[in-house]
Amino acid sequence: MWILGLLILGIGLSILLPSFVGGAWSPTPMPVVHKMLEYARLQPGETLYDLGAGDGRVIMTAGGLPGVRAIGVEIDPLRWALCKWRARGRANIQVLRENMFHLDLRDADVVTFYLSQGAADLLQEKLQAELGPGARVISNRRPIPGWQPQLVDEEFGLYVYVMEEQGKGNKS
Ligand SMILES: C[S@@+](CC[C@H](N)C(=O)[O-])C[C@H]1O[C@@H](n2cnc3c(N)ncnc32)[C@H](O)[C@@H]1O
């Protein structure tokens, strides 16, 4: 009986805790994922990071594009495990169990996310510091404060940013 209790507690915590550090899980509908990747304009040799990978749908789709490396970061152990399982045998798809705020994004060509507005606000400074000129940021539903989007897709709820339009990053 106590094992069942622990299991329920674990699942409950995995649902609740991420909402305090970036946003609860809510999957992006697949047509929106495809639209995000269309705006990302990924080229062979480029790297995409999905911050808060959820069930891995963005990295699995991006990792199917020719020559693209896709990295998902997920704080919740259950969803991280699901992503790891889905990405098994796919050398160009990596899944990290980490807090995205502690991750080094300097090798990102594209960053995607679907998080709370509070997390988008906090990410602004980090993205500004770490992304290089030409990097694209595609935010699902959340505008990044103080940044001028290159494009707003109201139908799909997407904000598309390009780094040279936000000032130079300090990619080394
Ligand atoms: C709204 S879901 C989006 C999932 C996926 N990117 C998609 O578009 O379908 C947000 C995800 O971010 C994760 N998350 C929230 N805060 C995080 C943090 N600080 N670091 C890493 N992952 C986080 C949550 O666990 C959740 O799975």
Side-chain angles (χ1 to χ4, degrees):
M1 195 61 186
W2 62 271
I3 294 183
L4 183 66
L6 274 182
L7 194 67
I8 292 170
L9 182 68
I11 292 171
L13 286 177
S14 107
I15 291 167
L16 270 182
L17 287 183
S19 42
F20 297 108
V21 288
W25 182 55
S26 166
T28 298
M30 282 313 292
V32 182
V33 171
H34 290 297
K35 191 52 91 172
M36 290 171 88
L37 294 179
E38 183 186 319
Y39 290 138
R41 291 177 284 107
L42 279 156
Q43 301 298 312
E46 289 196 324
T47 299
L48 168 141
Y49 281 82
D50 187 38
L51 305 182
D55 64 3
R57 59 184 58 205
V58 175
I59 52 172
M60 293 307 293
T61 310
L65 298 171
V68 167
R69 187 165 70 118
I71 302 174
V73 54
E74 177 52 57
I75 202 163
D76 171 60
L78 294 182
R79 278 181 288 269
W80 166 80
L82 174 63
C83 283
K84 279 294 263 192
W85 182 79
R86 289 188 75 188
R88 70 198 182 286
R90 302 279 298 271
N92 65 323
I93 302 178
Q94 264 175 276
V95 188
L96 311 171
R97 200 180 84 71
E98 253 184 78
N99 184 336
M100 64 193 168
F101 292 110
H102 302 158
L103 189 70
D104 185 341
L105 294 170
R106 280 176 298 175
D107 66 341
D109 299 290
V110 171
V111 173
T112 56
F113 60 81
Y114 178 24
L115 297 162
S116 65
Q117 186 60 56
D121 296 353
L122 289 173
L123 277 173
Q124 189 265 2
E125 203 175 316
K126 178 174 175 59
L127 296 172
Q128 185 85 53
E130 294 181 9
L131 298 185
R136 286 82 73 200
V137 178
I138 323 290
S139 169
N140 186 358
R141 305 212 165 266
R142 316 293 178 216
I144 300 178
W147 284 17
Q148 185 61 43
Q150 186 191 61
L151 187 150
V152 179
D153 183 328
E154 286 178 3
E155 186 188 347
F156 285 84
L158 298 176
Y159 296 82
V160 179
Y161 301 92
V162 180
M163 283 318 287
E164 65 252 24
E165 291 164 15
Q166 315 306 331
K168 282 200 162 98
N170 63 354
K171 197 168 183 170
S172 53

